[in-house]
């Protein structure tokens, strides 16, 4: 193969990779976690995937131990109680909570977050229950004014109604479209 043909082949491959869906930046949303006093206590990033979302949480100054964590239906985090975030994201009523409940239809359900003795937590997890943007069968976090990620005071037992016994809301992040 000549040098000229090699350059054209390389340029064509590069353009093909740049145009492929895999080369495009992932669609993301992010937010700043705030505590009940309104101070920043971490960050949240949600990345759209073909069959759900990938959630990354970095938190600090939370009480050590397990904490329930859920997607809530409104993009609002008014301290100190964060009730402005509304209930969990859902598509069906009545909402049945619990990852261990056979009748569950609560799309906002997530696994618990573990906070270490130093008050810090870092986790990356995957949810097939929601999407980032509208267009599929799962509720979209960035639809109708957005959503929030809420961290609760106690662990979610994955069965008790309506929030798994996870108690008060202790941290909240409004999810906003990012790049």
């Amino acid at each position: 193969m000549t040098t000229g043909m090699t350059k054209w082949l390389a340029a064509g491959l590069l353009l093909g990779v740049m145009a492929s869906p895999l080369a495009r930046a992932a669609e993301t949303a992010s937010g700043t976690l705030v505590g009940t006093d309104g101070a920043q206590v971490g960050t949240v990033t949600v990345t759209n995937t073909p069959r759900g979302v990938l959630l990354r949480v970095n938190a600090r100054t939370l009480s050590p131990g397990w904490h329930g964590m859920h997607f809530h239906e409104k993009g609002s985090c008014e301290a100190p109680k964060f009730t402005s975030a509304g209930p969990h994201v859902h598509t069906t009523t009545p909402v049945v909570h619990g990852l261990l409940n056979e009748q569950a239809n609560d799309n906002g359900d997530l696994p618990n977050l573990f906070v270490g003795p130093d008050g810090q937590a870092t986790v990356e997890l995957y949810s097939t229950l929601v999407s980032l943007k509208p267009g599929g069968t799962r509720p979209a976090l960035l639809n109708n004014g957005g959503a929030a990620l809420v961290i609760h005071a106690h662990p979610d037992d994955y069965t008790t109604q309506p929030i798994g016994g996870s108690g008060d809301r202790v941290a909240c992040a409004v999810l906003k479209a990012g790049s």
Side-chain angles (χ1 to χ4, degrees):
M1 193 176 326
T2 67
T3 303
M5 287 178 68
T6 303
K7 286 181 186 176
W8 281 110
L9 180 59
L13 287 172
L14 180 60
L15 286 173
V17 168
M18 289 172 49
S20 82
L22 297 175
R24 283 187 262 157
E27 297 175 308
T28 64
S30 60
T32 301
L33 269 173
V34 295
T36 56
D37 62 357
Q40 181 177 342
V41 298
T43 59
V44 175
T45 303
V46 181
T47 303
N48 207 45
T49 72
R51 292 179 181 83
V53 297
L54 189 62
L55 170 65
R56 179 176 287 171
V57 177
N58 291 298
R60 62 185 181 283
T61 69
L62 297 177
S63 63
W66 291 99
H67 294 265
M69 186 168 59
H70 308 105
F71 287 122
H72 285 249
E73 70 178 7
K74 295 181 182 173
S76 178
C77 289
E78 294 176 17
K81 295 189 181 262
F82 307 120
T83 56
S84 61
H88 296 180
V89 170
H90 63 281
T91 56
T92 307
T93 53
V95 179
V96 179
H97 174 78
L99 292 173
L100 296 178
N101 186 329
E102 281 188 32
Q103 307 304 313
N105 61 13
D106 185 342
N107 299 88
D109 284 347
L110 291 166
N112 288 319
L113 175 70
F114 183 76
V115 178
D118 61 357
Q120 296 189 46
T122 300
V123 68
E124 188 173 76
L125 57 92
Y126 181 68
S127 172
T128 60
L129 302 176
V130 296
S131 65
L132 201 54
K133 293 192 174 181
T137 58
R138 298 175 308 273
L141 297 176
L142 295 180
N143 202 17
N144 300 324
L149 178 83
V150 173
I151 298 174
H152 294 266
H154 306 291
D156 185 334
D157 65 16
Y158 305 127
T159 56
T160 303
Q161 303 304 309
I163 60 168
S166 53
D168 291 338
R169 301 170 184 197
V170 297
C172 185
V174 174
L175 302 175
K176 297 180 182 179
S179 56

